[in-house]
């Protein structure tokens, strides 16, 4: 299973158990009435990936759904991972709504990103990241230091993966003009972008002002693709207070269409100025 982190495993297991239940034609209430010791609210939390799942509960559900032993064993193995923490799970700096993203990022085979305001976190220099967080004017003085350390840790984990994920990033030209941290910090950040774009698994494109109106003017987004066909691709949309994860095929395909349009209008950073 190419998934990492308890929240991602919970998500994967919940989706599989939901499909098995639906295939039998049973409602959650009917499962609860089967006296397995799993209430309807608990089943809802299991299927939506909100809670750890015991092996005993997985085996009981598989028995009720008439699942064969090989699938039961595989799902039981997944259940063990629903309580297994990764470094980000216990980190108090990471808000709960972002921990799912970090887990997904850690298992995605390709991440396509559009940003019109800021360099994405996985490509930021430490100085640029510090300037970004200082712009938020956090009340707590040490908050920026903790966030920058976390960002660098996340960046190192992503770049150290084997095999490395495919990263395709489209930046609005304004990202390369905004003086985040001042001219020297911005110059160092642009140099960093040019360096990483030389790697075989990384593409950095710039959407120039001359492109005019473009398909992604509604704002930043990410598309994450996964190896496992059972793990649907995800569009990630972030705000200051939370995030939205889109998994419906039509939603993902619409964002994929938008990304292809802006890629066609963009130029490699090596050709920018």
């Amino acid at each position: 299973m190419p998934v990492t982190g308890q929240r991602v495993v919970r998500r994967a297991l919940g989706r599989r158990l939901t499909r098995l239940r639906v295939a039998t034609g049973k409602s959650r209430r009917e499962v609860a009435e089967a006296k397995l010791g799993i209430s309807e609210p608990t089943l809802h939390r299991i299927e939506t990936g909100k809670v750890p799942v015991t092996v005993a509960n997985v085996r009981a559900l598989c028995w009720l759904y008439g699942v064969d032993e090989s699938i039961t064993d595989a799902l039981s193995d997944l259940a063990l991972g629903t309580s297994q923490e990764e470094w980000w799970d216990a980190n108090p700096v990471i808000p709960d709504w972002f921990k799912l993203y970090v887990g997904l990022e850690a298992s995605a085979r390709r991440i396509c990103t559009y940003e019109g305001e800021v360099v994405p976190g996985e490509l930021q220099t430490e100085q640029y990241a510090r300037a970004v967080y200082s712009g938020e004017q956090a009340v707590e003085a040490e908050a920026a230091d903790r966030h920058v350390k976390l960002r660098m840790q996340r960046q190192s984990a992503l770049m150290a993966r084997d095999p490395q994920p495919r990263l395709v990033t489209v930046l609005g030209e304004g990202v390369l003009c905004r003086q985040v941290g001042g001219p020297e910090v911005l110059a160092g950040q642009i140099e960093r972008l040019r360096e990483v774009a030389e790697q075989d698994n990384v593409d950095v494109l710039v959407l120039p002002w001359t492109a005019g109106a473009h398909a992604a003017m509604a704002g930043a987004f990410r598309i994450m693709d996964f190896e496992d066909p059972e793990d649907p691709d995800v569009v990630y949309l972030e705000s200051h207070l939370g995030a939205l994860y889109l998994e419906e095929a039509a939603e993902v395909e619409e964002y994929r269409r938008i990304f292809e349009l802006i890629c066609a209008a963009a130029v490699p950073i090596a050709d920018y100025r």
Side-chain angles (χ1 to χ4, degrees), residues 145-178:
D145 289 336
R146 293 199 303 270
H147 280 290
V148 170
K149 182 179 179 180
L150 169 64
R151 178 147 293 183
M152 295 301 105
Q153 183 178 6
R154 183 182 133 220
Q155 188 178 112
S156 297
L158 181 65
M159 297 303 182
R161 280 179 48 194
D162 184 19
Q164 292 183 316
R166 179 78 173 152
L167 304 178
V168 184
T169 300
V170 178
L171 302 174
E173 185 172 358
V175 175
L176 305 185
C177 298
R178 187 178 297 281

Side-chain angles (χ1 to χ4, degrees), residues 15-84:
R15 195 166 46 249
R16 286 158 173 77
L17 290 172
T18 301
R19 279 201 296 268
L20 291 173
R21 176 179 59 76
V22 171
T24 66
K26 296 183 183 298
S27 67
R28 285 176 180 153
R29 174 169 294 184
E30 288 173 324
V31 173
E33 290 172 348
K35 306 300 183 184
L36 300 176
I38 303 173
S39 68
E40 188 174 350
T42 297
L43 182 60
H44 176 266
R45 290 193 289 270
I46 288 173
E47 292 187 344
T48 53
K50 298 293 195 304
V51 293
V53 189
T54 66
V55 172
N57 279 349
V58 168
R59 290 194 171 276
L61 290 170
C62 286
W63 170 81
L64 182 65
Y65 302 152
V67 176
D68 67 38
E69 192 63 27
S70 62
I71 294 177
T72 299
D73 289 343
L75 296 182
S76 297
D77 288 342
L78 270 184
L80 295 174
T82 63
S83 300
Q84 190 171 17

Side-chain angles (χ1 to χ4, degrees), residues 167-205:
L167 304 178
V168 184
T169 300
V170 178
L171 302 174
E173 185 172 358
V175 175
L176 305 185
C177 298
R178 187 178 297 281
Q179 298 287 317
V180 174
E184 290 186 7
V185 171
L186 179 61
Q189 178 62 75
I190 293 174
E191 181 60 28
R192 163 70 172 161
L193 291 171
R194 294 185 187 279
E195 289 175 358
V196 296
E198 294 176 357
Q199 300 177 20
D200 292 339
N201 65 310
V202 180
D203 287 327
V204 179
L205 307 174

